[in-house]
Every structure is written in structure tokens, then in C-alpha cells.
Amino acid sequence: MTRPPPELRFPRDLLAADSLTAARALLGARLVRAGDATERRRRVGRIVEVEAYIGPDDRASHARMGPTPRNRVMFGPPGLAYVYLVYGMHHCLNVVTEADGRPAALLIRAVEPEDGLDAMRAGRGRPTIADHRLASGPGCVGAAFGVDRSFTGMDLCDPVSPLRLASAPDDEPAPVIVTGPRIGIAYAGEPWSSRPWRLAVSGSPSLSRRLP
DNA sequence: CTAATGATGTCCT
DNA sequence: GGACATCATTAGA
């Protein structure tokens, strides 16, 4: 019997780079939630929208107040997950970037569902939602992939992790990337609120909002 | 200890 | 376009 093509490991080096470079590498890559032997089906999607939160001086970043119990993992090595709860209900998944000691992360804002759509739909609790909307927003990604704060610290570059990254297939064209200001951070003030640190795959139907 | 608030999503008008 | 659900986290008393 045939098996799907092997997934390509996502190199940690790409995440150790500066965060905007890392963001461009992450767009088009896959987010994979492992299935299990009993009932949970594997979930896979293509990452199409991210936001960068860069360094200790970024007033929109959780790292702005220095290391705390919540954000501590942002100060550690690249490739680990940072998951936080917003508005008391939505779990948001970040990938830690840059060198150990420098706080930075990429918020995964949208994913195009590829496999395990029924499991994603169950996670969302919205039986009639359109396929392309299953993970179109940071809270939607968390719900669709069954991610919560207990995933913080998980190594997303380890192929054995229950939640991990995988590179796009070699024959897949590199995506065209568009940028704009980050969403929902007006409180940070200028210049942070205008920095074009939201990056997305142009033309994806799964973006959380349109991006010109 | 108390109080304010948020890297959002959904339903309403 | 606007209301609001709902709680971990943080700052401050």
C-alpha cells in the first residue's frame, strides 16, 4: 500500500534567523498535529499568515515587560511553541524565533486546511463552517488544531512532537508574500502599531483578514 | 489582595 | 459597524 510522501523536517536554523526572515521561511510550511492510534485523526495545514513580535523593545510584544512566568519561553531557544490565552477564551500559537536569550516569536494567524478537516471542524465546534475558514484567525488555529497552553515549550522542529512544523514539498513554488501592520495592537502606539510585521501568502482564501 | 485588560471570534443590527 | 463573552496575567495597593 502506498504512503503519503515523507514530510520534510523544518530546520531550526531558519527560525534562529531574524524574525522577518524566519517569517518568510515559515509561510508555505506545514503545521502538523499528529494523530493517535485511537480516535484522533492527523491534522495538516499550510501556514499562510503570521505576525512577528520582535525583541524586548517591541511594545506590542508580550516580552515588553521582561521575562515572566507566561512569556519565559520567548526568551529561550528558537523552534519552541509559545501558547497564550487571550480574552479568556482563545489559545494562540506562536513559534519562538531568534537566538537563545533574545525574545521574539511568530504568531500563526491563519492556516489553509489540507488534511484532517473533520477533526478541525470538531475542534471548532462549528459543523457547517466552510473548509477554508476552519483555521482563518489565531484563535481559530488554536481550536482547529486542539492547541492549548500545555503545548508551551513543545519543540516544533522535532518530528516526534505531537505538534510540529514541516517544510513544503520541494516541488512546490515559493509563495508570493504580502505585508501589512499587525492586528489588534493599537495600544502599543507608534511606531510599533505601524510596523509591517504581518506577513501573508498573497491570494490565500484562508487569511484572517484581507491584506492588499 | 483588587482591578484592569487583552496578539479574538461570533452574533447582532 | 458594534456588543460582548470570559479568565490568565500583570501592575499596583
Side-chain angles (χ1 to χ4, degrees):
Chain A
M1 80 190 251
T2 64
R3 292 174 52 81
E7 273 158 4
L8 305 173
R9 229 181 90 106
F10 194 88
R12 196 181 312 277
D13 291 356
L14 297 178
L15 299 173
D18 77 88
S19 295
L20 296 179
T21 301
R24 289 177 178 273
L26 193 57
L27 289 172
R30 302 311 200 261
L31 182 64
V32 183
R33 175 81 201 264
D36 62 29
T38 57
E39 65 177 316
R40 193 172 65 226
R41 186 150 172 224
R42 203 171 96 98
R43 284 167 267 194
V44 182
R46 180 172 181 247
I47 298 168
V48 293
E49 180 181 342
V50 301
E51 275 176 2
Y53 291 84
I54 308 175
D57 300 321
D58 180 354
R59 302 314 286 170
S61 171
H62 289 170
R64 66 187 180 273
M65 64 290 278
T68 68
R70 177 177 68 160
N71 67 19
R72 185 169 53 83
V73 71
M74 286 184 74
F75 291 76
L80 305 193
Y82 168 48
V83 182
Y84 66 90
L85 184 65
V86 260
Y87 298 108
M89 54 192 99
H90 304 296
H91 295 276
C92 298
L93 171 65
N94 296 255
V95 182
V96 175
T97 53
E98 307 209 13
D100 191 355
R102 178 171 158 81
L106 300 172
L107 170 66
I108 300 186
R109 290 191 54 93
V111 170
E112 273 180 21
E114 290 187 317
D115 195 15
L117 303 232
D118 47 349
M120 295 183 191
R121 192 163 274 114
R124 289 294 307 281
R126 257 163 197 70
T128 63
I129 192 170
D131 290 354
H132 69 280
R133 293 242 171 268
L134 281 170
S136 62
C140 302
V141 171
F145 282 79
V147 173
D148 62 42
R149 287 176 306 151
S150 71
F151 285 62
T152 291
M154 187 175 289
D155 186 357
L156 301 175
C157 294
D158 184 343
V160 173
S161 292
L163 184 72
R164 66 184 190 274
L165 301 169
S167 293
D170 283 333
D171 57 358
E172 185 172 293
V176 174
I177 293 170
V178 291
T179 68
R182 294 173 291 179
I183 304 295
I185 53 138
Y187 65 86
E190 297 294 353
W192 310 104
S193 54
S194 294
R195 293 260 141 95
W197 289 355
R198 176 182 176 220
L199 296 89
V201 174
S202 178
S204 168
S206 296
L207 300 189
S208 64
R209 305 180 170 194
R210 265 194 71 85
L211 186 57

